[in-house]
Amino acid sequence: MKAVCVMVLGTSSGAGKSWVTTALCRHYARMGLKVAPFKAQNMSNNARVVAGLHGSEGEIGSAQYFQALAACCEPSVNMNPVLLKPEADTKSQVVVLGKVDPVLGKTPWRERSAQVWPHIAAALDTLRAENDVVVIEGAGSPAEINLHASDIVNMRVAVYAQARCLLVTDIDRGGAFAHLYGTWALLPADERALIRGFVLNKFRGDAALLAPAPEQLQQLTGVPTVATLPMWFQHGLPEEDGVFDDRSKATGAVHTTIAVVAFPRISNLDEFQPLKNMPGVRLVWARTPADCAGADWIILPGSKHTTADLAWLREQGLDQTVASHADQGKPVLGICGGLQMLGEALVDSHGIDGNAPGLGLLPLVTCFEPDKTVRRAHLRFAAVQGPWAALAQQPVNGYEIHHGRTVQHTALAEAGQLAHEVLPGLGWQNTAGNVLGVYVHGLFEDPAVLTALFGAQTPTLESVFNGLADFLERHVEPGVLKALIEP
C-alpha cells in the first residue's frame, strides 16, 4: 500500500513551508507512523551529506535533512532528488540523486524539467512504498503561471501523489487573504481540489480581529482556514532559502561576539544556527569592516564560488580586517571555502572556480579539481594550539562538500611559516595558533564541540522538533491533522 501524502504549499518563499513540514514530520512520527519528508527540487546552497544510491553518499538540501531527523528516519537522496546550488544569478550546479550532473547544469530550465521528472517520480514512489506518510514540501508559490507548464516541484507532484495540501501564507507581510485567494484562483480546478486548508503564519495580535475574513474566504473557495500560527521569532531551526536574520541577538550577558563574513555566495550558513541559539554568544553577519568591530572571532564560512567571494572580500576591505584581526592574535576560523581563502593561492587549471591569490594567513595552496568531494566525516582533532586548544583530542562528526585539494606550501613551511597540521583532511593552523582552517562542516552542530568551546549547550534537535510539533498541535483546529491522513 502506498503512503498517504500530505503537502505543504506556500503563497511565496519564506511563508513558513519548511518549518511546518518539519513539525508535521515529527507530529506524525509521534503517532507511531513511519514517516519520510520529500521535496522534489530545492534551490539552496545549504546542503548535507546523506546516504546515496548503491552504498554511496550524496548531498541533499539541509531542510530535508532536518525534516528526516524530525521524522525519525535516516536521511537519503530520495528525499530531495534534485538540488540546485546557485553559482551566479543565471547559473546553478545541478545535483540529481545526490550527484552533480554537469550536462543538466548546461541545459535550459524548461528542457531540464522534462529530464529530471522521471527521477523525481521514482524517488517519491520509493518513499511511498516504504512509509505510512510522506510529508512533501513545495517551493516558492504553486501559482507562478509563467512556470506552471514546467512545474516539477509543486502541483505536478501534488497531482501525481494525490496529496492532501495545506497552503501557508505569511500574514505579517500583509495581504494574506489576497495571497491565499489569488493562489487558489490561479490554479486549475483539479489542483484546487487538493487544497484542504489555509494556514495563516506569523500572526501578531488578537486573532478575533481576523473575522469575518476566514469565513468569507471559505465562502469564496470552499477551503477552511485551519490554523492561525502566532509569530515565533526563534523556533530553533536554520532558515531555508539562504535567508538569515541580520539582527544581532543574544541570550544573557554576551561573552563572545562572532562575526561570520556573509559572502554573496555563502554556503552552508545554516551550520551557524547553534551559535545563534548559544547563551552568551552574539552572532553578527559581516558585510563591511564596521560589522567586525568588537568581534572576538571572525569566521570565513563556506562559499559556492570561492574566488568570486574572495574578490568581493577584497572589494569591501574585509581582507585587511581579517588580517588585522589575526595579527592581534584574535581567533580566525576558515571553513571549507574559507579555509581555501586563508591560504597563499587558489589554482584552477580546469575552469572550475578561477585562479586567485589567497589571504596568506596559512601557507597552503588549493588546486581545484573536476571531482567533487562529498562525504560524511568522523574525525578527531589532534594537538590544537591557542584559542582552539579545548578541541584537542575532540572527536568531530560533520561532513565535507567541496571542489579542490589543499596542501601545505613546502617553500613557505621551510621559511618558518609552518602551518600546524591538525589532521589530514581536517585542517591546519598557524604557528601562533589563532588561525585555524578546516574542511569539515558542522563543527558547531556537534554538542561536544560546543561544550568544549563555550562550556554550554544549545537546545537539542530533539527538543526543537518536539517544540515545533507541540506548537503546531496547539494552533491547528482539532482533528485537522488526523483527517489529512485518513482514507
Side-chain angles (χ1 to χ4, degrees):
M1 180 177 177
K2 287 188 176 181
V4 173
C5 292
V6 176
M7 189 166 188
V8 182
L9 302 165
T11 57
S12 66
S13 295
K17 296 183 294 292
S18 292
W19 83 257
V20 171
T21 301
T22 306
L24 286 172
C25 284
R26 177 49 58 101
H27 169 78
Y28 290 124
R30 294 200 303 198
M31 290 177 62
L33 300 170
K34 193 174 181 183
V35 184
F38 182 79
K39 185 167 184 173
Q41 178 176 277
N42 201 346
M43 177 176 281
S44 178
N45 277 331
N46 297 332
R48 287 294 187 280
V49 180
V50 301
L53 303 180
H54 313 300
S56 64
E57 293 181 314
E59 53 183 315
I60 65 172
S62 292
Q64 283 63 63
Y65 170 82
F66 287 114
Q67 289 161 3
L69 298 185
C72 303
C73 65
E74 182 182 2
S76 79
V77 295
N78 283 321
M79 296 169 183
N80 177 207
V82 181
L83 174 62
L84 306 180
K85 307 189 78 172
E87 297 176 316
D89 288 345
T90 58
K91 179 183 178 184
S92 292
Q93 186 180 75
V94 181
V95 179
V96 179
L97 293 172
K99 302 297 182 184
V100 175
D101 189 320
V103 175
L104 284 176
K106 299 176 183 178
T107 303
W109 181 279
R110 286 180 170 82
E111 293 179 28
R112 182 194 302 161
S113 297
Q115 294 182 48
V116 298
W117 173 254
H119 298 293
I120 290 169
L124 181 54
D125 287 345
T126 298
L127 293 178
R128 293 189 71 189
E130 297 172 347
N131 293 278
D132 302 313
V133 179
V134 176
V135 185
I136 304 172
E137 180 185 345
S141 164
E144 303 288 2
I145 55 179
N146 57 314
L147 302 176
H148 192 273
S150 55
D151 170 45
I152 54 170
V153 65
N154 285 305
M155 299 316 296
R156 184 169 184 182
V157 173
V159 171
Y160 181 79
Q162 284 300 289
R164 294 93 185 271
C165 300
L166 298 175
L167 180 60
V168 182
T169 193
D170 178 355
I171 195 170
D172 191 50
R173 296 182 181 182
F177 293 105
H179 291 164
L180 290 169
Y181 180 75
T183 301
W184 176 89
L186 285 172
L187 296 177
D190 62 326
E191 297 177 5
R192 291 180 192 170
L194 298 176
I195 297 179
R196 300 291 188 88
F198 296 138
V199 175
L200 300 172
N201 188 29
K202 303 181 186 179
F203 180 73
R204 307 172 192 249
D206 182 0
L209 297 177
L210 293 171
E215 292 77 11
Q216 291 177 339
L217 186 63
Q218 184 169 357
Q219 291 172 6
L220 289 168
T221 64
V223 179
T225 298
V226 299
T228 300
L229 308 177
M231 174 67 78
W232 193 359
F233 286 102
Q234 290 198 17
H235 48 59
L237 283 179
E239 294 293 343
E240 174 65 334
D241 298 324
V243 177
F244 47 78
D245 188 349
D246 288 324
R247 291 173 292 182
S248 299
K249 295 176 289 189
T251 303
V254 175
H255 55 70
T256 306
T257 296
I258 300 175
V260 179
V261 178
F263 308 129
R265 299 161 189 84
I266 188 172
S267 67
N268 293 81
L269 62 89
D270 55 324
E271 66 180 305
F272 303 113
Q273 181 68 37
L275 296 180
K276 294 177 68 176
N277 299 340
M278 175 64 65
V281 172
R282 176 173 174 260
L283 188 68
V284 177
W285 301 106
R287 299 181 183 84
T288 67
D291 294 333
C292 297
D296 299 293
W297 296 13
I298 291 180
I299 297 179
L300 301 180
S303 167
K304 192 63 189 72
H305 200 318
T306 304
T307 55
D309 279 342
L310 182 54
W312 173 88
L313 188 84
R314 289 191 163 103
E315 290 170 1
Q316 311 310 309
L318 281 162
D319 57 331
Q320 299 174 31
T321 301
V322 174
S324 175
H325 190 88
D327 287 344
Q328 296 173 51
K330 295 181 179 180
V332 175
L333 174 64
I335 301 175
C336 196
L339 158 65
Q340 296 171 343
M341 293 181 190
L342 290 174
E344 293 291 334
L346 303 170
V347 181
D348 184 2
S349 58
H350 300 283
I352 295 168
D353 201 287
N355 299 290
L359 298 176
L361 296 180
L362 291 175
L364 307 172
V365 174
T366 296
C367 298
F368 292 110
E369 298 174 339
D371 291 338
K372 188 177 185 180
T373 299
V374 178
R375 63 189 174 201
R376 286 173 281 193
H378 307 287
L379 305 168
R380 181 186 295 273
F381 280 101
V384 197
Q385 309 299 320
W388 317 104
L391 296 177
Q393 304 306 316
Q394 178 64 53
V396 174
N397 294 306
Y399 56 98
E400 292 183 51
I401 305 176
H402 60 88
H403 282 284
R405 183 172 60 90
T406 299
V407 296
Q408 193 161 286
H409 192 294
T410 304
L412 290 170
E414 292 174 350
Q417 301 180 45
L418 179 66
H420 175 77
E421 187 171 359
V422 180
L423 191 73
L426 181 52
W428 298 260
Q429 67 177 153
N430 62 347
T431 51
N434 62 307
V435 179
L436 174 66
V438 298
Y439 259 127
V440 64
H441 290 281
L443 283 180
F444 303 116
E445 295 176 331
D446 190 315
V449 170
L450 292 177
T451 300
L453 290 174
F454 302 104
Q457 286 284 337
T458 62
T460 65
L461 279 174
E462 281 299 295
S463 68
V464 170
F465 296 145
N466 285 324
L468 291 171
D470 291 342
F471 182 82
L472 194 67
E473 290 164 7
R474 283 197 302 271
H475 297 290
V476 175
E477 292 294 323
V480 167
L481 299 183
K482 183 179 179 182
L484 286 174
I485 61 170
E486 289 178 341

